[in-house]
């Protein structure tokens, strides 16, 4: 058991923390939101220069050779910065799909361009009717000569509007809910048969509704095994859960710090509100939730590369529940202790609050994973 | 960073597990699996077995008979011992008195008391709380007046756990009632419980058990040589004692063992026409507890491995998180076990029923014991500094409010 960081990990953490402090102050962030894509193109280039966009890829693919701990450190900093750029969509989700499912040829072709920022990936899996059921895929892919033709619609695709390529799940056999028969495809997001409607999600990050109408792809667009895409989809989602768990810890840390500072300075009845024991104990409760949530984000990071699929899924589900509940508790109480000002757009608190709310819903919410764990109780 | 046990740590865990499996007397294990607390003789018997192996004085340095374990190893041992389930080591002897004597005691005191404390030849109790001094310990009033080479002690202690078993008591007394600060007039004495003038009166707690006591001191003569550290410096000793050793404070093994046994029992009772263990709401409750236990387990690893990194003697304020979350789990797991019992959690497994040999048993024994634990462990968020006090500690040390 060891909680120390290596020298390289410490340097990485310091450099990303510094970048966030210098470039992602709340007022700067407001300007990034006004850019055409709703995020900062300059920061995106900077992430690429720092090697962050290739963080989890092997060096032969232009990557940094980092692991889950490196992702955790970067995501916690990104959570504090409340970044808007499509890092999770492209590097974590799309990147994991290609890294774990791609052929040598696909990896060599795609990963270096993800690492240098020129290709942005998005993970187009969820469908409107599916809620959180991972096997509820109705988009179809039918064989057409050496290639495939895809039809269907994908919903709330994170950063789907700016993506250059989509990792799309589609049914090559079987009925809705069948765990078999799902295949992942790499689809050119700019193809004329791909229609995208972009919009802002509650946390101001971007998403898109994607419809696929007779989208033709070549045979080499298949990512991973034909008809056996589910395990790969699960790996992608687990990577997403681990990354956003760390991001949520960053959000909670920021919320906790802001609330503590506010309770030290805000005066009512002639004294700081933090001099009231009821406020002090609420802050202590927030601290405990934050630390328990941090422990669970660490668990997710440690388990994301666990070879035993059942063991991995079980622990990631526990982490998802733990972080989701902590995020809710800390963010709700941050707003509460700020009082009226916590309800306003002008303060960062509400923006972190909304990011926590969105993170809890990504890849399945707390109730979903708690129900899964309940079924698995031995 | 790695949350898994190192091969050495895993080997250590296996060694501990095997030793407990092979050496814990079957009758003790059986009673504890049914949810009974250990009897005095159970605790003594088991601690002596451990002491023979060199595993009793776990918080003491090697030169005083400790096993020389890291904090992580201690944590592993404590959890294995709780999960077994085996009687826990006497915390009064091992985690309180021992380290105090090693830090503050004279050579004579160490020689005289430490080996007997490790082997539980002397059963120690803690004379700290008073009717007017609970969370506000420094307001204690029990007085010790110097008379030649003795102190004469008068006053009353309360909530004294196992005083009725105890051979000795470590006692906080007021030696200077006129000190400028009330913390400055306190001394730390070691008192033989057989000394004339000591009266132990039982306090029966809401589970019906006799664990707590009132202890009255009426002109009790204590040799000056039994004072630990300087006169009027006893508060330093008390602070050291209370902050010293918090590795086992979460008692996570107890909660794990209780969830395990609740699941086992839930197979034997029915709800809605099927075994309770198949009930979705019940399973969800278990799942939530397992999530909470996992989070606490990792937080405990984090806090405990930091002990090994920085041994500056100061308690990590985050250990208050372990106390609060650990006792919340102790309480919610006993609630779970009691709820599994259903209506059979109501009867008391009393001798009067057992004596009616022709009558069928009223409910299974485990259900009665689960209720007893539920009732008794309401104390968990009160003893060792109430959970509200723990939040005050966090407020001061971490929030700095």
């Amino acid at each position: 058991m060891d909680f120390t960081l290596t020298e390289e990990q410490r340097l990485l953490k310091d450099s990303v923390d510094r970048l966030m402090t210098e470039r992602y102050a709340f007022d700067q962030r407001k300007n990034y939101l006004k850019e055409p894509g709703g995020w900062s193109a300059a920061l995106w280039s900077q992430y690429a220069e720092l090697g962050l966009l290739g963080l989890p890829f092997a060096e032969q693919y232009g990557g940094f050779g980092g692991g889950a701990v490196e992702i955790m450190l970067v995501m916690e900093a990104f959570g504090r910065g409340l970044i808007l750029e499509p890092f999770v969509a492209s590097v974590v989700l799309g990147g994991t799909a290609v890294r774990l499912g791609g052929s040598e040829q696909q990896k060599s072709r795609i990963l270096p361009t993800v690492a240098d920022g020129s290709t942005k990936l998005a993970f187009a899996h969820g469908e409107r009717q599916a809620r959180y059921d991972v096997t509820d895929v109705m988009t179809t892919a039918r064989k057409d000569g050496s290639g495939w033709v895809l039809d269907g619609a994908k919903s709330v695709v994170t950063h789907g509007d700016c993506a250059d390529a989509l990792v799309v799940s589609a049914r090559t056999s079987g009925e809705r809910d069948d765990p078999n028969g799902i295949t992942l495809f790499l689809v050119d997001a700019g193809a004329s048969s791909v229609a995208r409607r972009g919009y802002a999600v509650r946390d101001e990050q971007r998403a898109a509704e994607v419809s696929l109408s007779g989208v033709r792809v070549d045979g080499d667009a298949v990512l991973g095994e034909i008809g056996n895409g589910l395990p790969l989809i699960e790996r992608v989602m687990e990577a997403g859960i681990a990354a956003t768990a760390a991001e949520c810890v960053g959000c909670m840390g920021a919320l906790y710090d802001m609330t503590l500072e506010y309770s030290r300075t805000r005066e009512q009845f002639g004294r700081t509100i933090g001099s009231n024991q009821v406020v002090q104990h609420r802050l202590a409760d927030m601290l405990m939730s934050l630390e328990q949530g941090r422990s669970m984000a660490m668990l997710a990071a440690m388990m994301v590369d666990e070879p035993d699929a059942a063991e991995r899924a079980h622990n990631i589900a526990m982490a998802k529940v733990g972080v989701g509940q902590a995020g809710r508790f800390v963010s709700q109480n941050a707003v509460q202790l700020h009082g009226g000002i916590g309800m306003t757009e002008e303060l960062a608190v509400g923006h972190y609050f909304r990011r926590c709310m969105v993170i809890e819903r990504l890849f399945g919410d707390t109730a979903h994973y708690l129900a899964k764990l309940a079924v698995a109780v031995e | 960073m790695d949350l898994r046990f190192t091969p050495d740590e895993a080997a250590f865990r296996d060694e501990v597990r095997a030793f407990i499996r092979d050496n814990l007397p079957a009758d003790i294990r059986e009673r504890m699996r049914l949810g009974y607390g250990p009897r005095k003789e159970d605790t003594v018997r088991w601690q002596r077995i451990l002491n023979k192996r060199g595993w009793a004085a776990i918080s003491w340095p090697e030169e005083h008979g400790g096993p020389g374990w890291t904090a992580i190893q201690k944590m592993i041992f404590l959890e294995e011992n709780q999960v077994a389930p085996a009687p826990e080591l006497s915390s009064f002897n091992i985690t309180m008195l021992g380290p105090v004597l090693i830090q503050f005691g004279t050579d004579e005191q160490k020689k005289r008391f430490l080996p007997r404390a490790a082997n539980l030849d002397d059963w120690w109790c803690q004379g700290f709380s008073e009717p007017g001094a609970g969370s506000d310990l420094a307001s204690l009033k029990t007085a010790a007046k110097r008379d030649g080479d003795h102190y004469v002690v008068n006053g009353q202690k309360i909530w004294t756990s196992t005083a009725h078993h105890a051979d000795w008591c470590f006692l906080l007394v007021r030696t200077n009632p006129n000190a400028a600060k009330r913390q400055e007039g306190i001394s730390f004495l070691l008192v033989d419980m057989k000394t004339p003038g000591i009266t132990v009166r039982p306090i029966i707690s809401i589970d019906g058990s006799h664990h707590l006591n009132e202890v009255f001191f009426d002109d009790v003569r204590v040799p000056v040589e039994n004072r630990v550290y300087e006169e009027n410096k006893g508060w330093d000793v008390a602070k050291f004692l209370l902050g010293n050793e918090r590795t086992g404070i979460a008692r996570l093994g107890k909660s794990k063992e209780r969830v395990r046994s609740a699941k086992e029992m839930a197979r034997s009772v029915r709800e809605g026409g099927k075994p309770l263990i198949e009930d979705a709401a019940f399973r969800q409750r278990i799942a939530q507890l397992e999530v909470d236990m996992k989070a606490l387990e990792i937080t405990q690893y984090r806090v405990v491995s930091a002990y090994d990194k920085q041994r500056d003697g100061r308690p990590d304020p985050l250990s208050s998180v372990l106390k609060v979350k650990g006792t919340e789990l102790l309480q919610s797991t006993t609630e779970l076990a009691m709820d599994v019992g259903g209506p059979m959690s109501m009867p008391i497994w009393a001798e009067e029923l057992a004596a009616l040999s022709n009558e069928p048993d009223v409910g299974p024994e485990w259900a009665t014991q689960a209720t007893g634990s539920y009732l008794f462990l309401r104390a968990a968020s009160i003893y060792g500094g109430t959970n509200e006090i723990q939040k005050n500690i966090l407020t001061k040390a971490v929030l700095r409010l």
Side-chain angles (χ1 to χ4, degrees):
Chain A
M1 202 168 303
D2 179 16
F3 292 91
T4 50
L5 300 179
T6 64
E7 187 57 29
E8 286 89 355
Q9 288 169 340
R10 219 181 348 262
L11 288 172
L12 173 69
K13 178 176 159 31
D14 289 349
S15 69
V16 184
D17 284 346
R18 197 166 48 242
L19 181 68
M20 290 296 107
T21 310
E22 287 168 5
R23 302 291 303 278
Y24 242 103
F26 189 56
D27 284 335
Q28 292 170 308
R29 181 177 179 276
K30 284 181 190 160
N31 293 327
Y32 304 151
L33 269 168
K34 291 180 199 141
E35 287 191 33
W39 46 270
S40 166
L43 261 295
W44 190 249
S45 305
Q46 197 147 5
Y47 300 154
E49 277 166 34
L50 285 170
L52 302 180
L53 301 184
L55 191 59
F57 311 141
E59 285 169 29
Q60 66 190 104
Y61 306 119
F64 190 83
V69 173
E70 282 78 9
I71 291 282
M72 180 181 82
L73 296 173
V74 170
M75 286 307 301
E76 185 179 344
F78 281 173
R80 278 194 170 265
L82 205 59
I83 71 155
L84 299 159
E85 290 72 34
F87 181 83
V88 171
S90 189
V91 178
V92 177
L93 301 177
T96 300
V98 176
R99 182 169 62 91
L100 299 181
S103 64
E104 195 50 49
Q105 193 271 337
Q106 287 168 322
K107 287 193 276 193
S108 305
R109 178 163 57 85
I110 299 162
L111 293 182
T113 66
V114 174
D116 70 19
S118 59
T119 296
K120 294 177 294 301
L121 302 174
F123 182 55
H125 172 58
E127 300 182 3
R128 202 173 277 200
Q129 82 289 345
R131 198 175 154 82
Y132 298 130
D133 286 340
V134 68
T135 55
D136 187 351
V137 174
M138 293 178 76
T139 296
T140 58
R142 83 188 140 74
K143 194 91 175 111
D144 180 42
S146 64
W148 300 82
V149 177
L150 278 65
D151 283 284
K154 296 291 174 178
S155 192
V156 205
V157 178
T158 303
H159 285 294
D161 59 345
C162 68
D164 304 294
L166 302 169
V167 175
V168 177
S169 60
R171 226 165 238 302
T172 41
S173 65
E175 299 294 313
R176 177 181 178 184
D177 294 334
D178 190 341
N180 298 307
I182 303 171
T183 306
L184 288 181
F185 294 89
L186 273 164
V187 175
D188 175 5
S192 58
S193 48
V194 175
R196 289 182 289 170
R197 193 154 50 86
Y199 53 88
V201 186
R202 275 286 176 189
D203 60 6
E204 301 163 304
Q205 291 203 20
R206 304 290 298 179
E209 298 300 291
V210 178
S211 60
L212 309 148
S213 320
V215 179
R216 269 170 208 287
V217 294
D218 292 338
D220 67 1
V222 172
L223 202 52
E225 274 179 75
I226 294 171
N228 192 29
L230 186 60
L232 182 56
I233 291 169
E234 285 170 340
R235 291 301 299 266
V236 170
M237 291 175 55
E238 286 162 354
I241 290 169
T244 53
E247 184 184 359
C248 188
V249 169
C251 292
M252 286 193 281
L255 284 165
Y256 168 75
D257 289 349
M258 285 186 283
T259 310
L260 185 57
E261 184 54 30
Y262 187 73
S263 67
R264 284 201 181 108
T265 48
R266 169 72 174 169
E267 292 191 7
Q268 287 288 278
F269 302 106
R271 58 183 189 183
T272 61
I273 61 169
S275 63
N276 297 298
Q277 198 173 45
V278 70
V279 172
Q280 293 170 355
H281 283 197
R282 189 71 60 86
L283 279 159
D285 289 335
M286 288 171 70
L287 172 69
M288 288 191 284
S289 276
L290 164 62
E291 292 305 329
Q292 295 282 75
R294 184 188 302 281
S295 291
M296 284 310 223
M298 287 176 170
L299 176 69
M302 290 302 130
M303 295 308 294
V304 78
D305 295 320
E306 162 66 38
D308 180 335
E311 181 74 8
R312 189 176 66 234
H314 181 73
N315 281 281
I316 298 263
M318 285 205 281
K320 182 79 166 97
V321 170
V323 172
Q325 291 173 335
R328 242 185 226 221
F329 184 84
V330 171
S331 63
Q332 290 177 353
N333 281 294
V335 170
Q336 177 67 24
L337 291 185
H338 275 85
I341 194 76
M343 287 296 299
T344 64
E345 278 290 304
E346 69 182 275
L347 213 67
V349 170
H351 298 255
Y352 284 104
F353 178 92
R354 294 197 305 243
R355 182 60 187 156
C356 289
M357 171 260 155
V358 167
I359 287 174
E360 194 189 344
R361 263 145 205 84
L362 293 174
F363 320 110
D365 63 12
T366 299
H368 175 79
Y369 282 97
L370 199 52
K372 270 175 119 101
L373 289 170
V375 169
V377 162
E378 286 173 353
Chain B
M1 188 182 290
D2 194 344
L3 291 186
R4 281 162 297 213
F5 287 133
T6 63
D8 283 351
E9 288 163 348
F12 175 77
R13 181 197 56 205
D14 293 345
E15 184 190 358
V16 169
R17 193 173 286 175
F19 180 83
I20 295 174
R21 184 192 60 222
D22 297 342
N23 291 279
L24 178 63
D27 60 311
I28 297 180
R29 182 195 304 261
E30 191 45 39
R31 230 182 346 269
M32 293 205 54
R33 280 179 78 89
L34 280 168
Y36 289 96
R39 299 170 306 182
K40 177 181 181 180
E41 58 265 37
D42 296 338
T43 299
V44 171
R45 198 157 34 128
W46 180 232
Q47 185 159 323
R48 285 183 184 164
I49 292 169
L50 290 174
N51 193 40
K52 209 168 157 197
R53 179 70 182 78
W55 289 358
I58 60 168
S59 333
W60 306 0
E62 276 172 285
E63 65 261 37
H64 295 290
W69 289 341
T70 62
I72 293 282
Q73 286 177 306
K74 272 186 260 178
M75 181 197 73
I76 291 169
F77 169 81
L78 290 171
E79 177 159 328
E80 289 298 323
N81 196 56
Q82 286 164 348
V83 167
E88 293 176 79
L89 293 165
S90 160
S91 55
F92 301 118
N93 288 35
I94 301 302
T95 57
M96 298 183 188
L97 178 78
V100 157
L101 289 182
I102 290 161
Q103 178 80 13
F104 296 100
T106 62
D107 287 344
E108 180 55 36
Q109 287 170 337
K110 288 177 201 171
K111 210 178 303 164
R112 180 174 171 200
F113 293 113
L114 286 178
R116 293 181 59 82
N119 204 44
L120 211 40
D121 296 331
D122 296 326
W123 184 293
W124 285 84
C125 66
Q126 178 189 37
F128 277 23
S129 294
E130 296 182 7
S135 290
D136 181 14
L137 186 58
S139 66
L140 62 92
K141 288 201 177 73
T142 295
K145 283 210 177 80
R146 191 74 177 256
D147 178 25
D149 52 3
H150 280 76
Y151 290 104
V152 181
V153 179
N154 281 286
Q156 181 196 351
K157 295 290 172 179
I158 196 168
W159 317 127
T160 318
S161 296
T162 69
H164 55 303
H165 296 324
D167 305 298
W168 283 81
C169 178
F170 49 89
L171 188 69
L172 287 181
V173 293
R174 188 161 298 286
T175 35
N176 178 8
N178 305 317
K181 284 175 69 182
R182 43 194 204 147
Q183 284 85 350
E184 287 165 3
I186 293 170
S187 298
F188 191 102
L189 303 182
L190 308 177
V191 182
D192 185 338
M193 290 295 281
K194 290 185 294 294
T195 318
I198 297 178
T199 310
V200 177
R201 193 182 290 166
I203 300 174
I204 304 303
S205 40
I206 56 174
D207 61 320
S209 74
H210 176 199
H211 181 77
L212 303 168
N213 301 277
E214 292 178 288
V215 184
F216 297 88
F217 296 85
D218 183 13
D219 285 336
V220 174
R221 294 182 69 81
V222 179
V224 169
E225 70 196 44
N226 286 1
R227 188 191 69 229
V228 177
Y229 201 42
E230 295 168 37
E231 189 171 273
N232 297 327
K233 290 280 174 69
W235 189 250
D236 294 345
V237 182
K239 269 200 317 195
F240 170 83
L241 181 152
L242 293 170
N244 174 46
E245 173 62 67
R246 318 203 88 184
T247 302
I249 201 165
R251 296 178 80 208
L252 192 52
K254 286 300 245 191
S255 294
K256 285 184 179 175
E257 157 60 15
R258 197 165 278 114
V259 170
R260 186 207 58 75
S261 87
K263 286 199 278 194
E264 193 179 307
M265 300 314 164
R267 291 175 209 286
S268 68
V269 298
R270 281 160 59 88
E271 172 72 37
K274 53 185 199 269
L276 176 60
I277 189 72
E278 293 173 20
D279 178 73
F282 179 76
R283 295 177 76 84
Q284 188 132 334
R285 205 170 152 191
I286 301 259
Q288 181 70 62
L289 285 169
E290 289 180 341
V291 166
D292 295 341
M293 290 194 295
K294 180 56 94 174
L296 185 60
E297 180 178 288
I298 297 167
T299 303
Q300 178 170 263
Y301 290 168
R302 289 169 52 205
V303 174
V304 170
S305 63
Y307 286 154
D308 285 332
K309 293 264 148 35
Q310 46 186 60
R311 288 179 176 279
D312 58 0
R314 275 180 316 180
D316 182 344
L318 278 185
S319 61
S320 289
V321 178
L322 303 184
K323 165 67 166 65
V324 173
K325 291 291 163 191
T327 54
E328 283 176 0
L329 272 170
L330 279 174
Q331 294 180 332
S332 47
T333 55
T334 52
E335 278 180 72
L336 176 85
M338 176 181 67
D339 290 345
V340 171
M344 292 306 136
S345 298
M346 291 188 284
I348 303 171
W349 184 268
E351 281 177 17
E352 59 176 311
L353 285 170
L356 301 172
S357 53
N358 292 332
E359 298 293 324
D361 294 344
V362 180
E365 218 172 345
W366 60 261
T368 305
Q369 288 312 314
T371 306
S373 297
Y374 165 71
L375 294 167
F376 183 68
L377 280 170
R378 297 318 297 170
S381 50
I382 299 169
Y383 60 58
T386 66
N387 285 10
E388 288 71 26
I389 288 287
Q390 301 302 326
K391 291 180 189 179
N392 289 351
I393 292 172
L394 285 172
T395 298
K396 224 173 128 180
V398 184
L399 309 179
R400 296 188 307 280
L401 281 171

